[in-house]
Amino acid sequence: MTGGMGDTLVRLEAFIAKWSQRLNADSASVTFAAQALDAPPGLHAATADRFVTALGYQPIGGNWELLDPDAAPDGARSARAALIEAFSHNMVLSQQAWLGEADALAMAEGFLGCFDARTCQIVTNRMYFGWNPITSASIEWAFVAFDDSAIALLLATAEG
């Protein structure tokens, strides 16, 4: 194993320290949670559900959309594209910038870079035809990413 068990968590803590203020400067509320995994993760949807329900959110089972953490922003099922779409513009007033596309890409790279590239998986609750809510917010976008040692939730919510 390259790196220690806590390396992913250390990188996640540095990521949130860097991005928390910017992410919460818009009208959306951004929640971030991370923890070590005691055992290797199982199926992506079950792993995401276990984590979000432990945090008090609703499980959505097979409605977690598996994204490709390695794909370029123009690639199929690209995690980068989904993160850019989620954080580049205001969630309620989509014509207004939030992070903007360049900073949203930098944030996406930073988030994905926290995880071991060999074992990273990332899911989202939102697809091109809508989303499967884990909260009671009127607008939300959730991402759960994990590798063999840690898991994290990046959740943006807003009231429309």
Side-chain angles (χ1 to χ4, degrees):
M1 172 185 226
T2 59
M5 183 74 93
D7 290 353
T8 300
L9 279 179
V10 169
R11 289 188 296 267
L12 285 165
E13 288 170 10
F15 167 83
I16 199 60
K18 176 178 181 175
W19 286 99
S20 183
Q21 189 171 356
R22 277 288 304 281
L23 289 170
N24 282 293
D26 197 66
S27 62
S29 174
V30 177
T31 302
F32 183 81
Q35 72 181 41
L37 289 173
D38 297 330
L43 181 68
H44 61 274
T47 299
D49 270 352
R50 262 193 314 277
F51 185 55
V52 301
T53 55
L55 296 170
Y57 300 112
Q58 301 170 66
I60 59 171
N63 290 318
W64 287 107
E65 178 78 4
L66 184 62
L67 300 174
D68 183 346
D70 299 320
D74 61 351
R77 301 169 84 92
S78 169
R80 285 166 182 79
L83 286 158
I84 290 168
E85 189 176 344
F87 294 100
S88 62
H89 290 86
N90 182 290
M91 292 180 79
V92 177
L93 305 169
S94 60
Q95 70 277 19
Q96 292 183 9
W98 181 357
L99 293 181
E101 291 202 11
D103 284 351
L105 175 59
M107 189 275 305
E109 296 286 356
F111 184 60
L112 294 169
C114 292
F115 299 92
D116 182 332
R118 294 169 299 147
T119 60
C120 179
Q121 294 188 60
I122 182 170
V123 296
T124 185
N125 69 332
R126 196 162 177 152
M127 300 183 237
Y128 63 91
F129 53 82
W131 76 86
N132 296 283
I134 66 169
T135 74
S136 60
S138 62
I139 303 171
E140 74 175 52
W141 203 322
F143 295 90
V144 176
F146 55 91
D147 59 18
D148 284 348
S149 66
I151 189 166
L153 168 69
L154 185 57
L155 171 65
T157 57
E159 297 305 323

